[in-house]
Amino acid sequence: MARIKPQALLQQSKRKKGPSRISATTIIFYSLILVLFGFFLFASYRHWSNRSRFRSENQLSVSEGENTFVDPRKSDLPGYAVLNTSKGSIIIELHKESAPEVVDEFIDLCQKGHFKGMLFHRVIKHFVIQAGDNEGAGATEDWNLRGKHHTSMKHEAFMLGTSKGKHLSKGFDLFITTAPIPELNEKLIVFGQVIKGEDIVQEIEEVDTDEHYKPKLSIGILDVSLTQKI
């Protein structure tokens, strides 16, 4: 049996311990796998991202649609009334939420021309100016309660209201407060607020009156116009 020389054994040992070479085909194969895996992750992310965005936009559209069609009649209702008086114009913002029945009645009377030519027959400085058909003495003190189901707004200055007392039998009077009057909370239904023309209200408030608070010179409402926007 032939003996293997030590040098040959050393060379064989080096060949066994040396790293094996990786072929180019193997490198390309694994590279493609990594690329495909990365593409799959990116596509999945885009899919779920677009799906979430579509769901959010769809919910927003439904919400906007619900808000639009909750009560389509509201957009047709006048939101403002312009009282054209012999002293100038007073613009009123109508508050249907506080007294919807009264606002509806007021709008109906305006369309019928009920307030055309109506006089301010009672003017009490730092209190109210009153226009209407009720000219009886002491009418301001004779407000009996009516319609307690109404939730009236706070009676600040320059608020528009009508009397709760004897409303159906004596017509629709208009009261514009010229100062905060909390004692009227149980006597007036407030359904609007002066947003322009406060100076006209104050000018009417300053006119000379007799002992019954009736203006010595006639001051009246020429007409009332309704509008949705100002």
Side-chain angles (χ1 to χ4, degrees):
M1 181 175 178
R3 295 179 64 182
I4 300 175
K5 294 181 181 182
Q7 292 181 352
L9 290 173
L10 181 62
Q11 290 179 358
Q12 290 179 3
S13 176
K14 288 182 179 180
R15 282 198 296 268
K16 291 181 180 178
K17 293 181 179 179
S20 59
R21 293 184 180 180
I22 301 175
S23 65
T25 304
T26 303
I27 295 174
I28 294 173
F29 176 74
Y30 284 107
S31 297
L32 288 174
I33 291 177
L34 289 174
V35 170
L36 290 174
F37 183 72
F39 178 78
F40 173 76
L41 290 177
F42 177 74
S44 299
Y45 169 77
R46 288 290 302 273
H47 170 74
W48 289 107
S49 177
N50 291 336
R51 184 174 179 180
S52 299
R53 184 175 61 183
F54 174 77
R55 184 175 296 176
S56 299
E57 291 177 352
N58 189 38
Q59 290 176 350
L60 180 61
S61 299
V62 172
S63 177
E64 290 177 349
E66 289 175 353
N67 291 336
T68 302
F69 296 103
V70 166
D71 190 355
R73 294 175 298 176
K74 282 189 175 181
S75 59
D76 298 330
L77 293 174
Y80 302 88
V82 182
L83 307 183
N84 297 307
T85 75
S86 52
K87 292 288 187 180
S89 296
I90 303 170
I91 299 178
I92 306 291
E93 181 181 6
L94 301 176
H95 294 165
K96 186 174 177 62
E97 294 78 10
S98 64
E101 295 178 7
V102 176
V103 171
D104 289 342
E105 185 178 359
F106 172 76
I107 291 174
D108 182 63
L109 291 173
C110 288
Q111 293 171 341
K112 294 178 179 178
H114 175 77
F115 301 104
K116 188 173 183 179
M118 183 176 287
L119 297 178
F120 288 96
H121 60 81
R122 183 162 288 101
V123 174
I124 306 176
K125 192 174 295 186
H126 307 306
F127 194 64
V128 295
I129 60 175
Q130 177 185 357
D133 301 322
N134 185 6
E135 299 187 14
T140 308
E141 293 80 12
D142 193 25
W143 288 325
N144 296 321
L145 297 183
R146 182 188 69 90
K148 291 184 179 181
H149 57 281
H150 291 290
T151 303
S152 188
M153 299 170 57
K154 189 176 181 180
H155 294 78
E156 301 290 346
F158 304 110
M159 305 301 284
L160 176 69
T162 188
S163 173
K164 291 181 181 179
K166 303 179 181 179
H167 179 76
L168 295 175
S169 59
K170 292 192 176 182
F172 197 111
D173 282 8
L174 296 179
F175 297 83
I176 299 178
T177 61
T178 60
I181 311 172
E183 58 266 30
L184 292 184
N185 285 337
E186 296 300 326
K187 297 180 180 180
L188 286 184
I189 303 172
V190 173
F191 63 93
Q193 180 177 6
V194 177
I195 61 171
K196 188 174 182 181
E198 294 92 339
D199 56 328
I200 303 300
V201 175
Q202 292 173 333
E203 187 175 348
I204 297 174
E205 181 189 26
E206 294 296 328
V207 300
D208 292 332
T209 62
D210 60 18
E211 64 273 15
H212 299 296
Y213 305 106
K214 183 177 180 179
K216 293 180 178 180
L217 297 177
S218 296
I219 304 171
I221 299 173
L222 304 179
D223 58 60
V224 180
S225 58
L226 302 171
T227 180
Q228 292 183 1
K229 297 181 180 179
I230 294 297

